[in-house]
Amino acid sequence: MKQNKLARIFENWVPKILSLLAAALLFYLYNVSKYDTRVLVIPLETIIPDALAPVNPLPGAVRITLKGESNVIYSIPESDISATVNLSSFSTPGTYRVPIAVEKKGIAMSANFLEYTIDPLDIEVQLDKKITKKVPVVPVFGSEIPENYEIINIQVQPAEVEIACPALLSDTILKLHTESITTSSQEGVYSYRAKLISPKSTVKIINNQNVMVLWEIKKIIVYKTFQDVPVTVQGLSDSLEINGDLATVTLKVSGLRYDIESLILESGSIKINLSDVIEPGVYSVAIETKLPPTIRVESILPSNITVRVIKKKVQ
C-alpha cells in the first residue's frame, strides 16, 4: 500500500516539479510587481590621508537605487544613507581601486528593501604626495571698461593664499584667480569681497576662501605736443598792421584719448588779441587759446610774444 502511495507521488514527477517552479515564479513576480524604484543621488565622502592628495578628480556623488514598497522607500530621508570611499589605509603614492561603502542609519536601517544598488561600485584614484605652498591672487574684472577709462591701484587682501595640491600639479599652479568682478563705468574707488576659484578640484584652498579686492577707476588722460604752431592775430585795427613775422609756439595739451587723437588745430585756435592796440608800437602780448572744453592746456611756449605794430601803408 505504501509503495502504491509513493508511486503515485512520484508518478509524472517532472510535470509536478515544473508546476511548482511555475507557481513559485508567479508568486515572486506578483510580489515584485508590488515594489517601486527610487533613485537617490548621495554625496560621496572621501577620506584621504594627510600626507597624500588625489591627482585625478573624484566623483562628488553616487547613485543609489532603492527597490521596495513605495510607502517604505519614499519614507527614507536621503540623510539616512551615506556613501564613503576610505583611502586612509594608503601611505605611499600610487594608483588604487577602492570600493564605495554604503552606510544606513535611522529609517533606512530598519526598512526592508527588496534590494539596493550603487553606481559606481568602486573608484580608481591616483594618490601623490601632498604639497602646500603660497600663491598670489589675481583679480578678474568681468565687465568691459568703458573707452577712455582704466582700472588702477588694484589691491588684494590678502595678496597670497595657501593651497594644497598633489606634487604632480604643484609646478603648474602659479596663481589663483577670483570670480568675475563687475566694475562700474564711473570714476571712483571700489571694493568687493570676491570668491577664490580653484583651477582644479584636486587643488584645495586653505583657510581663505574669499579675498577683499580694492581698485580705482579713472579716466585715461593722454598728452600731446604740437610744435611750430602759427599764431593768429585778432582785433587789430584796420589802420594798423604787424611788422615782420610772428613767432610760432609749442603747445602741450591733455585730455581723453579719443579727444586728443581727434584734435585738429584750426585757424584761430592759437591767437593774440590786439583789440586794445590803437597806435603803433612794440607790445608783449599773451597767447590765448580757443580749444574744445574737453581739452586742457598744459603749457604754451612762449606764453607771450612780442609784436611790432606799424601804421598800415596806403596802397
Side-chain angles (χ1 to χ4, degrees), residues 231-268:
V231 178
T232 301
V233 177
Q234 292 185 350
L236 185 61
S237 171
D238 292 339
S239 63
L240 301 173
E241 64 181 1
I242 301 296
N243 182 25
D245 296 328
L246 290 178
T248 59
V249 298
T250 298
L251 173 68
K252 183 178 181 180
V253 295
S254 65
L256 299 180
R257 180 185 290 115
Y258 174 81
D259 295 329
I260 292 297
E261 290 176 351
S262 60
L263 177 62
I264 298 175
L265 295 181
E266 299 176 347
S267 177

Side-chain angles (χ1 to χ4, degrees), residues 20-207:
L20 287 173
L21 291 175
L25 179 60
L26 288 173
F27 179 78
Y28 173 79
L29 292 176
Y30 170 75
N31 283 283
V32 167
S33 66
K34 298 190 300 180
Y35 291 113
D36 201 353
T37 298
R38 180 187 179 193
V39 177
L40 302 178
V41 178
I42 303 297
L44 178 62
E45 180 186 1
T46 305
I47 302 174
I48 303 173
D50 290 339
L52 299 176
V55 176
N56 55 304
L58 301 179
V62 295
R63 288 168 55 92
I64 295 180
T65 302
L66 308 179
K67 197 167 186 180
E69 294 183 1
S70 296
N71 62 330
V72 174
I73 62 175
Y74 283 101
S75 67
I76 299 171
E78 291 188 10
S79 58
D80 279 4
I81 301 177
S82 61
T84 306
V85 58
N86 192 342
L87 306 173
S88 60
S89 60
F90 303 114
S91 58
T92 57
T95 301
Y96 306 95
R97 182 166 290 278
V98 185
I100 296 175
V102 175
E103 182 181 359
K104 299 179 291 181
K105 61 182 179 180
I107 297 176
M109 179 70 74
S110 58
N112 294 319
F113 309 143
L114 177 63
E115 62 179 20
Y116 75 86
T117 57
I118 180 172
D119 181 30
L121 291 172
D122 54 27
I123 62 170
E124 183 176 271
V125 57
Q126 181 183 0
L127 295 176
D128 195 12
K129 181 181 177 182
K130 182 167 71 176
I131 300 295
T132 59
K133 67 176 186 177
K134 288 188 175 182
V135 294
V137 176
V138 178
V140 175
F141 295 97
S143 55
E144 186 174 344
I145 304 300
E147 188 178 8
N148 295 319
Y149 288 81
E150 63 180 342
I151 297 179
I152 61 173
N153 298 330
I154 300 173
Q155 299 179 46
V156 180
Q157 301 171 352
E160 291 184 327
V161 295
E162 190 173 18
I163 63 170
C165 63
L168 283 173
L169 297 179
S170 179
D171 291 342
T172 66
I173 310 299
L174 303 178
K175 58 188 175 183
L176 283 187
H177 290 100
T178 67
E179 63 179 312
S180 181
I181 301 171
T182 301
T183 59
S184 173
S185 59
Q186 297 182 343
E187 283 190 297
V189 178
Y190 301 90
S191 64
Y192 179 74
R193 182 167 292 279
K195 180 182 178 182
L196 292 172
I197 304 299
S198 175
K200 294 179 179 293
S201 61
T202 52
V203 177
K204 304 301 180 184
I205 303 170
I206 302 174
N207 297 327

